[in-house]
Amino acid sequence: MTRDFFRTFAACAAVLAGPALAQQDFSKVEIQTEKLADGVYMMSGGGGGNLGVSAGEDGVLVIDDLFAPLTPKIQAAIAKVSAKPVRFVLNTHWHFDHTGGNENFGKAGAVIVAQENVRKRLSKDGFIAFLGMKTKAEPAVALPVVTFTRDLGLQLNGEEIRAFYAPRAHTDGDTVVQFVKSDVIHAGDTFFNKSYPFIDTSSGGSVAGVLAAANRILNIAGDKTKIIPGHGPLATKADLRAYRDMLATVSSRVTAQIKQGKKLEEVVASKPTAEYDEVWGKGFFPPEKFVAMLYDNLKK
Ligand SMILES: [Zn+2]
């Protein structure tokens, strides 16, 4: 899946997201549904961001909505677990592989909810510098209607759903969502499981913010908590801890070499990720690209 995601990004580099994505063949994508607790599901497919779903008496809340062409498949997958309509879409951040279905769900009557910076970024043409990718401003119906600055609580389907802002993490608008009773957390793209992460500094992200988000989730998670990463398979607290440790170790190695005045080629040649490549280096970014991204982030 992360391979597909990488191909999508590669295909999109330096072109507009819309037309490039329209060329991707979504017809064979199947949405996978994994039950995590009563009425709480993880859904995934098409190489985009993992979905979190709360379904029950009060209706359906969806966290993130993949790409626009997949909306009918997502709706069909939801219909298998609930007869109720999608009342809320909560975006974990503004990236197109997490918000692509907003227009469709907005037109179908869902209320879109997100941190205020998500609305700001979706409202205008954007640029993801490290990927060389331009994005188009979204129409009004695709924009968040309910925005918040720091934290938000939703009382839905018999439980409290807490959304909290993770500042300057993967972007400047990341939200982590906790299903308190079900003991499930959706980490958005502050967490890539079993794949080197992308940190979008051109959208206000930072390595320090991603580490802070991971630490905050580790503080509230228990050993049995199910953690939905933005990308990759369902995770445990131990997986998140391994991710945090990997990112902290590699970034401190890169920072040390930047301080010694090393050039990017030299840092890459020193293989600062070596012992992690087997587990983390086969996904979204190959090791060299991940090191280049960190170098770019950390030298600022
Ligand atoms: Zn993202």
Side-chain angles (χ1 to χ4, degrees), residues 118-155:
V118 174
R119 183 181 164 100
K120 283 181 197 159
R121 291 197 179 275
L122 288 175
S123 303
K124 55 188 187 209
D125 291 354
F127 184 58
I128 304 175
F130 194 72
L131 304 173
M133 182 181 163
K134 292 177 183 169
T135 61
K136 278 280 188 202
E138 292 289 333
V141 69
L143 299 177
V145 173
V146 176
T147 59
F148 57 96
T149 52
R150 290 196 54 83
D151 303 302
L152 178 83
L154 286 153
Q155 311 298 326

Side-chain angles (χ1 to χ4, degrees), residues 43-56:
M43 294 185 183
S44 55
N50 292 323
L51 277 65
V53 176
S54 166

Side-chain angles (χ1 to χ4, degrees), residues 5 9 49 92-98 128 170-171 174 188-190 192 198 200 230-231 284:
F5 184 51
F9 261 138
T92 60
H93 63 293
W94 78 280
H95 283 156
F96 66 95
D97 57 316
H98 298 256
I128 304 175
H170 171 70
T171 65
D174 295 282
D189 277 4
T190 67
F192 283 51
F198 171 48
D200 183 2
H231 298 274
F284 179 48

Side-chain angles (χ1 to χ4, degrees), residues 2-17:
T2 43
R3 286 267 175 214
D4 291 344
F5 184 51
F6 182 64
R7 276 201 293 271
T8 301
F9 261 138
C12 288
V15 292
L16 294 175

